[in-house]
Amino acid sequence: MVVQTVPLRALVARAELGLTVLCGSSGLDRPVRWAHVSELADPAPYLVGEELLLTAGVRFPGDVPAYVAGLVSSGVTAIGFGVEPEFPAVPPSLVRACADQGMPLLAVPPSTPFLAVSRALGALLAEIAVREQRMLAEGQRALTRAATRVRPVESVLAVLATVLGCRAELVDPATAPDDVASLVDRVASGTGPVRPPPGWVTTT
């Protein structure tokens, strides 16, 4: 199963959450898979990457740069700091450490429970799943129609190129360029996924 992601900016754009970007705005296109709440002084060992780490600073670290460095090394996408009840504002030391290490930092207002952030992320992920399922169904129908036309091979290739947004060509391994012929041989002889050259879909 493929776990979907959403860009951080999609979550920030949810006006009802009231999230404020304090630093790291250049990282708003980073992917987020899930929101995780942790008040550990060092949550890094328990993370798998691409989290929005939510914390209210209940056990605020003494060495803030080291804390942020651990999250960076764990692949955390961003930190969401809940303002109040522990801190009336996001600690300046955390803002500086995140800015220095390129970690996006969001201020979560007192009116926004962490659960609301998690639910909003879940809704965004569900929207992507529904959209992809619809695209797959529409693509399957288009391919079925193409296969029943007068020139089915050419029609199917044209639909593939449109649906996948790439270049699709019918190739003969005997006359194809070496890299394409090699790819065709790998596809024909194997059962696992094969990565084609960028922008290519080939068929024999």
Side-chain angles (χ1 to χ4, degrees), residues 11-82:
L11 194 61
V12 172
R14 299 292 288 252
E16 71 274 16
L17 298 178
L19 303 177
T20 302
V21 181
L22 300 181
C23 65
S25 58
S26 61
L28 290 181
D29 288 322
R30 292 180 178 179
V32 180
R33 290 185 188 274
W34 33 57
H36 179 71
V37 180
S38 177
E39 299 299 345
L40 294 175
D42 181 18
Y46 307 97
L47 303 174
V48 297
E50 297 188 337
E51 295 96 349
L52 168 60
L53 183 73
L54 299 170
T55 179
V58 175
R59 298 180 63 185
F60 194 70
D63 189 340
V64 179
Y67 171 81
V68 174
L71 298 181
V72 170
S73 66
S74 296
V76 167
T77 293
I79 299 172
F81 193 92

XYZ file of all heavy atoms in Angstrom, residues 11-82:
517
model
N -1.797 22.170 4.069
C -2.298 22.200 5.438
C -2.295 23.624 5.980
O -3.247 24.058 6.638
C -1.434 21.291 6.311
C -1.977 20.914 7.684
C -3.291 20.151 7.555
C -0.956 20.095 8.451
N -1.237 24.357 5.680
C -1.151 25.750 6.130
C -2.288 26.576 5.530
O -2.796 27.513 6.160
C 0.217 26.342 5.745
C 0.263 27.841 6.015
C 1.338 25.638 6.509
N -2.704 26.216 4.322
C -3.753 26.975 3.639
C -5.140 26.778 4.245
O -6.064 27.513 3.902
C -3.778 26.594 2.162
N -5.294 25.800 5.134
C -6.596 25.588 5.774
C -6.821 26.711 6.777
O -6.325 26.690 7.897
C -6.641 24.226 6.455
C -6.450 23.029 5.513
C -7.624 22.870 4.565
N -8.803 22.387 5.207
C -9.287 21.159 5.049
N -8.668 20.285 4.263
N -10.392 20.787 5.661
N -7.596 27.708 6.358
C -7.765 28.926 7.168
C -8.340 28.642 8.550
O -8.029 29.349 9.520
C -8.663 29.916 6.418
N -9.175 27.601 8.648
C -9.814 27.329 9.937
C -8.808 26.890 11.002
O -9.105 26.956 12.201
C -10.890 26.256 9.774
C -10.381 24.839 9.509
C -10.125 24.558 8.038
O -10.038 25.530 7.252
O -10.004 23.368 7.683
N -7.622 26.450 10.580
C -6.602 26.025 11.543
C -5.823 27.205 12.117
O -5.291 27.117 13.222
C -5.635 25.037 10.892
C -6.233 23.720 10.393
C -5.153 22.875 9.720
C -6.873 22.950 11.539
N -5.732 28.287 11.362
C -5.024 29.476 11.846
C -3.531 29.276 12.038
O -2.916 29.926 12.891
N -2.930 28.394 11.261
C -1.489 28.136 11.394
C -0.678 29.308 10.844
O -1.009 29.859 9.800
C -1.117 26.855 10.649
C -1.866 25.587 11.074
C -1.447 24.414 10.200
C -1.613 25.281 12.543
N 0.391 29.658 11.539
C 1.268 30.755 11.111
C 2.668 30.214 10.864
O 3.238 29.535 11.729
C 1.334 31.859 12.186
O 0.013 32.345 12.453
C 2.212 33.005 11.713
N 3.216 30.511 9.701
C 4.577 30.083 9.374
C 5.555 31.086 9.972
O 5.594 32.243 9.572
C 4.776 29.985 7.846
C 6.192 29.518 7.524
C 3.751 29.043 7.225
N 6.343 30.627 10.934
C 7.302 31.517 11.600
C 8.655 31.528 10.911
O 9.374 32.517 10.968
C 7.471 31.099 13.061
C 6.200 31.143 13.922
C 6.520 30.735 15.346
C 5.577 32.534 13.892
N 9.017 30.425 10.274
C 10.255 30.354 9.509
C 10.199 29.112 8.627
O 9.354 28.238 8.806
C 11.490 30.320 10.410
S 11.612 28.849 11.443
N 11.110 29.045 7.666
C 11.154 27.883 6.785
C 10.106 27.886 5.696
O 9.709 26.823 5.220
N 9.682 29.059 5.267
C 8.645 29.127 4.232
C 9.096 28.507 2.913
O 8.273 28.084 2.104
C 8.209 30.578 4.001
O 9.322 31.381 3.631
N 10.405 28.409 2.711
C 10.901 27.788 1.481
C 10.657 26.275 1.481
O 10.793 25.625 0.443
C 12.401 28.055 1.309
O 13.140 27.502 2.394
N 10.286 25.717 2.630
C 10.035 24.284 2.721
C 8.572 23.909 2.711
O 8.207 22.783 3.075
N 7.715 24.817 2.278
C 6.282 24.541 2.311
C 5.836 23.507 1.290
O 4.707 23.015 1.361
C 5.493 25.841 2.103
C 5.555 26.839 3.260
C 4.727 28.080 2.949
C 5.065 26.191 4.554
N 6.697 23.165 0.353
C 6.349 22.103 -0.596
C 6.794 20.728 -0.112
O 6.594 19.725 -0.805
C 6.969 22.395 -1.970
C 6.270 23.539 -2.675
O 5.038 23.633 -2.556
O 6.955 24.349 -3.333
N 7.355 20.659 1.064
C 7.761 19.365 1.610
C 6.530 18.492 1.850
O 5.469 18.980 2.231
C 8.511 19.550 2.928
C 9.860 20.216 2.795
C 10.512 20.337 4.165
N 11.832 20.927 4.094
C 12.598 21.149 5.148
N 12.161 20.817 6.355
N 13.795 21.705 5.001
N 6.669 17.173 1.670
C 5.522 16.280 1.862
C 5.264 15.968 3.330
O 6.190 15.849 4.137
C 5.941 15.014 1.102
C 7.442 15.008 1.197
C 7.854 16.463 1.152
N 3.987 15.845 3.664
C 3.569 15.448 5.011
C 2.728 14.179 4.889
O 1.746 14.151 4.136
C 2.738 16.547 5.703
C 2.323 16.105 7.104
C 3.517 17.853 5.768
N 3.114 13.139 5.625
C 2.346 11.886 5.616
C 1.372 11.813 6.782
O 0.296 11.240 6.682
C 3.280 10.677 5.691
C 4.094 10.436 4.445
C 4.887 9.145 4.561
N 5.813 8.993 3.451
C 5.490 8.453 2.282
N 4.262 8.015 2.084
N 6.386 8.359 1.322
N 1.783 12.356 7.918
C 0.951 12.275 9.106
C 1.371 13.337 10.113
O 2.462 13.900 10.047
C 1.069 10.889 9.753
C 2.415 10.263 9.599
C 3.623 10.768 9.995
C 2.706 9.032 8.946
N 4.636 9.924 9.641
C 4.109 8.842 9.007
C 1.920 8.047 8.333
C 4.750 7.727 8.463
C 2.561 6.939 7.795
C 3.938 6.784 7.866
N 0.461 13.594 11.041
C 0.759 14.508 12.140
C 0.998 13.655 13.387
O 0.253 12.709 13.654
C -0.393 15.477 12.362
N 2.038 13.996 14.140
C 2.405 13.206 15.315
C 2.621 14.153 16.491
O 3.351 15.146 16.378
C 3.681 12.414 15.031
C 4.144 11.596 16.198
N 3.485 10.468 16.621
C 5.206 11.759 17.044
C 4.112 9.958 17.670
N 5.161 10.724 17.945
N 1.976 13.843 17.596
C 2.124 14.657 18.807
C 3.156 14.013 19.720
O 3.084 12.806 20.003
C 0.782 14.789 19.550
C 0.963 15.633 20.808
C -0.274 15.410 18.649
N 4.119 14.790 20.165
C 5.125 14.273 21.093
C 5.624 15.391 21.999
O 5.940 16.482 21.535
C 6.312 13.666 20.342
O 7.298 13.230 21.261
N 5.679 15.082 23.288
C 6.253 16.003 24.256
C 7.563 15.456 24.825
O 8.040 15.910 25.859
C 5.251 16.258 25.392
C 3.938 16.885 24.943
C 4.097 18.255 24.297
O 5.180 18.865 24.436
O 3.138 18.714 23.652
N 8.139 14.464 24.153
C 9.423 13.925 24.584
C 10.530 14.947 24.355
O 10.489 15.727 23.406
C 9.751 12.644 23.814
C 8.840 11.433 24.058
C 9.235 10.296 23.131
C 8.906 10.999 25.510
N 11.519 14.892 25.215
C 12.669 15.786 25.042
C 13.462 15.409 23.796
O 14.118 16.257 23.191
C 13.564 15.733 26.277
N 13.403 14.144 23.401
C 14.070 13.676 22.184
C 13.180 12.643 21.490
O 13.329 11.436 21.689
C 15.435 13.058 22.511
C 16.162 12.593 21.248
O 15.788 13.043 20.140
O 17.094 11.778 21.370
N 12.247 13.098 20.658
C 11.338 12.160 19.983
C 11.938 11.498 18.747
O 11.335 10.592 18.177
C 10.167 13.059 19.590
C 10.787 14.398 19.376
C 11.913 14.491 20.375
N 13.120 11.934 18.345
C 13.704 11.467 17.078
C 13.729 9.947 16.927
O 13.424 9.432 15.846
C 15.107 12.052 16.901
N 14.083 9.169 17.968
C 14.157 7.714 17.779
C 12.816 7.065 17.445
O 12.778 5.917 16.992
C 14.682 7.202 19.130
C 15.377 8.374 19.734
C 14.582 9.558 19.299
N 11.727 7.773 17.661
C 10.406 7.189 17.473
C 9.714 7.698 16.212
O 8.521 7.466 16.009
C 9.539 7.496 18.700
C 10.199 7.079 19.992
C 10.897 8.012 20.772
C 10.179 5.751 20.411
C 11.530 7.625 21.940
C 10.806 5.361 21.584
C 11.478 6.311 22.346
O 12.112 5.923 23.504
N 10.453 8.368 15.362
C 9.881 8.957 14.159
C 10.364 8.206 12.925
O 11.436 7.596 12.935
C 10.272 10.439 14.065
C 9.869 11.293 15.279
C 10.429 12.702 15.146
C 8.348 11.322 15.438
N 9.564 8.257 11.869
C 9.924 7.544 10.636
C 10.140 8.487 9.453
O 10.589 8.072 8.393
C 8.842 6.502 10.267
C 8.745 5.444 11.342
C 7.489 7.165 10.041
N 9.832 9.766 9.623
C 10.050 10.733 8.553
C 8.760 11.262 7.959
O 7.727 10.585 7.960
N 8.831 12.490 7.471
C 7.721 13.190 6.815
C 6.550 13.452 7.764
O 5.401 13.528 7.353
C 7.260 12.439 5.565
C 8.359 12.359 4.509
C 7.893 11.791 3.189
O 6.878 11.067 3.159
O 8.550 12.079 2.172
N 6.870 13.602 9.057
C 5.838 13.978 10.020
C 5.730 15.497 10.160
O 6.714 16.213 9.963
C 6.144 13.416 11.421
C 6.119 11.914 11.542
C 7.494 11.302 11.415
O 8.442 12.038 11.027
O 7.622 10.107 11.704
N 4.553 15.953 10.524
C 4.387 17.270 11.115
C 4.392 16.995 12.611
O 3.444 16.408 13.148
C 3.073 17.915 10.690
C 2.681 19.180 11.477
C 3.728 20.271 11.329
C 1.312 19.677 11.052
N 5.470 17.349 13.292
C 5.592 17.084 14.720
C 4.907 18.196 15.499
O 5.291 19.371 15.390
C 7.062 16.988 15.127
C 7.265 16.648 16.606
C 6.907 15.187 16.861
C 8.694 16.933 17.040
N 3.918 17.832 16.278
C 3.162 18.796 17.071
C 3.588 18.705 18.533
O 3.639 17.617 19.108
C 1.657 18.513 16.945
C 1.085 18.614 15.525
C -0.336 18.070 15.493
C 1.128 20.057 15.043
N 3.882 19.842 19.122
C 4.308 19.873 20.518
C 3.871 21.186 21.158
O 3.780 22.220 20.477
C 5.837 19.714 20.643
O 6.205 19.783 22.021
C 6.583 20.813 19.876
N 3.604 21.124 22.453
C 3.292 22.337 23.210
C 4.450 22.718 24.122
O 4.325 23.634 24.938
C 2.020 22.132 24.037
N 5.573 21.999 24.008
C 6.743 22.334 24.815
C 6.606 21.942 26.269
O 7.208 22.578 27.142
N 5.823 20.891 26.563
C 5.650 20.456 27.952
C 6.994 20.075 28.566
O 7.273 20.384 29.725
C 4.665 19.275 28.025
C 4.580 18.728 29.456
C 3.277 19.711 27.545
N 7.821 19.394 27.783
C 9.195 19.077 28.223
C 10.145 19.776 27.253
O 10.855 19.138 26.482
C 9.410 17.569 28.237
C 8.515 16.831 29.204
C 8.784 15.333 29.174
N 10.156 15.032 29.613
C 10.668 13.810 29.579
N 9.956 12.801 29.105
N 11.909 13.602 29.998
N 10.153 21.081 27.321
C 10.947 21.860 26.381
C 12.427 21.552 26.565
O 12.945 21.565 27.688
C 10.694 23.353 26.581
C 11.208 24.199 25.451
C 10.598 24.166 24.212
C 12.314 25.024 25.631
C 11.065 24.954 23.158
C 12.788 25.807 24.594
C 12.161 25.769 23.352
N 13.132 21.249 25.461
C 14.530 20.818 25.583
C 15.458 21.937 26.054
O 15.246 23.111 25.757
C 14.878 20.389 24.154
C 13.967 21.200 23.288
C 12.683 21.301 24.057
N 16.507 21.528 26.776
C 17.504 22.499 27.198
C 18.408 22.901 26.054
O 18.810 24.061 25.945
N 18.741 21.929 25.195
C 19.591 22.195 24.028
C 18.688 22.220 22.797
O 18.476 21.195 22.143
C 20.654 21.108 23.894
C 21.701 21.443 22.845
O 21.420 22.303 21.978
O 22.800 20.833 22.874
N 18.171 23.387 22.486
C 17.199 23.497 21.400
C 17.804 23.190 20.032
O 17.195 22.472 19.229
C 16.533 24.890 21.408
C 15.523 25.021 20.266
C 15.827 25.112 22.733
N 19.007 23.708 19.703
C 19.601 23.351 18.402
C 19.763 21.842 18.214
O 19.533 21.314 17.125
C 20.943 24.071 18.416
C 20.713 25.250 19.308
C 19.816 24.721 20.399
N 20.171 21.130 19.287
C 20.326 19.680 19.186
C 18.962 19.012 18.985
O 18.851 18.030 18.243
C 21.008 19.133 20.433
N 17.958 19.526 19.645
C 16.599 18.996 19.495
C 16.144 19.108 18.039
O 15.654 18.139 17.443
C 15.663 19.780 20.412
C 14.187 19.501 20.237
C 13.591 18.393 20.826
C 13.387 20.384 19.506
C 12.225 18.152 20.684
C 12.021 20.147 19.356
C 11.448 19.030 19.941
O 10.096 18.800 19.792
N 16.326 20.275 17.455
C 15.924 20.495 16.061
C 16.780 19.652 15.122
O 16.271 19.061 14.158
C 16.015 21.990 15.697
C 15.733 22.208 14.207
C 15.034 22.799 16.545
N 18.072 19.547 15.408
C 18.963 18.749 14.562
C 18.519 17.288 14.540
O 18.578 16.624 13.495
C 20.406 18.854 15.061
N 18.067 16.772 15.675
C 17.580 15.401 15.732
C 16.353 15.210 14.871
O 16.203 14.183 14.193
N 15.470 16.200 14.862
C 14.264 16.120 14.037
C 14.612 16.223 12.559
O 14.020 15.544 11.717
C 13.283 17.215 14.441
C 12.771 17.153 15.884
C 11.780 18.277 16.148
C 12.149 15.805 16.193
N 15.579 17.066 12.250
C 16.026 17.186 10.855
C 16.583 15.856 10.368
O 16.253 15.376 9.283
C 17.084 18.303 10.712
C 17.712 18.265 9.321
C 16.452 19.672 10.970
N 17.425 15.235 11.189
C 18.043 13.958 10.790
C 17.016 12.844 10.692
O 17.226 11.866 9.964
C 19.138 13.577 11.780
O 18.592 13.304 13.060
N 15.900 12.960 11.403
C 14.846 11.945 11.341
C 13.907 12.155 10.158
O 13.003 11.348 9.952
C 14.036 11.951 12.642
O 14.840 11.570 13.737
N 14.101 13.241 9.421
C 13.260 13.491 8.254
C 11.940 14.157 8.545
O 11.021 14.099 7.713
N 11.833 14.790 9.712
C 10.598 15.505 10.041
C 10.386 16.633 9.037
O 11.323 17.353 8.682
C 10.669 16.062 11.480
C 9.547 17.060 11.744
C 10.601 14.912 12.477
N 9.153 16.776 8.581
C 8.847 17.806 7.590
C 8.770 19.191 8.210
O 9.272 20.166 7.646
C 7.517 17.484 6.896
O 7.676 16.302 6.110
C 7.062 18.628 5.991
N 8.143 19.291 9.383
C 7.954 20.588 10.023
C 7.591 20.381 11.486
O 7.202 19.281 11.903
C 6.858 21.389 9.314
N 7.709 21.452 12.248
C 7.299 21.449 13.652
C 6.108 22.384 13.792
O 6.124 23.513 13.283
C 8.434 21.926 14.576
C 9.644 21.002 14.461
C 7.962 22.008 16.022
C 10.879 21.515 15.202
N 5.089 21.911 14.478
C 3.955 22.760 14.827
C 3.968 22.976 16.334
O 3.842 22.009 17.103
N 4.144 24.209 16.777
C 4.245 24.497 18.217
C 2.934 25.107 18.700
O 2.505 26.161 18.219
C 5.405 25.447 18.504
C 5.763 25.530 19.962
C 6.742 24.698 20.495
C 5.111 26.409 20.809
C 7.072 24.754 21.842
C 5.432 26.482 22.148
C 6.410 25.652 22.682
N 2.323 24.426 19.662
C 1.063 24.908 20.212
C 1.279 25.991 21.257
O 1.929 25.762 22.278
